[in-house]
Amino acid sequence: MVTYGVIVGTVIAAGLVEARCRNGGNVTGALAAQRFGRFFLVGAGLALSWQWIAGMIALLQ
């Protein structure tokens, strides 16, 4: 559960940084924060699903 908390916290923090950059007029920083949040979420999801699949395969052997 800690893993999910860290992932959610990181994505929320990226969203807050994005909003702060947009409000400050820093479009480049906002886009970078948005991309980081998206890619981090996708990467974390892929890593978790890969470990889940690997665990299921290990149970079958």
Side-chain angles (χ1 to χ4, degrees):
M1 294 308 286
V2 173
T3 304
Y4 297 116
V6 170
I7 292 168
V8 169
T10 304
V11 172
I12 289 173
L16 292 173
V17 169
E18 177 192 354
R20 187 174 173 107
C21 287
R22 283 202 193 280
N23 291 335
N26 185 358
V27 177
T28 306
L31 289 175
Q34 183 182 33
R35 287 184 187 136
F36 172 78
R38 285 181 183 169
F39 288 126
F40 183 82
L41 187 60
V42 169
L46 287 173
L48 287 174
S49 64
W50 175 255
Q51 288 192 355
W52 187 82
I53 291 170
M56 293 300 112
I57 289 173
L59 286 174
L60 292 174
Q61 293 179 351

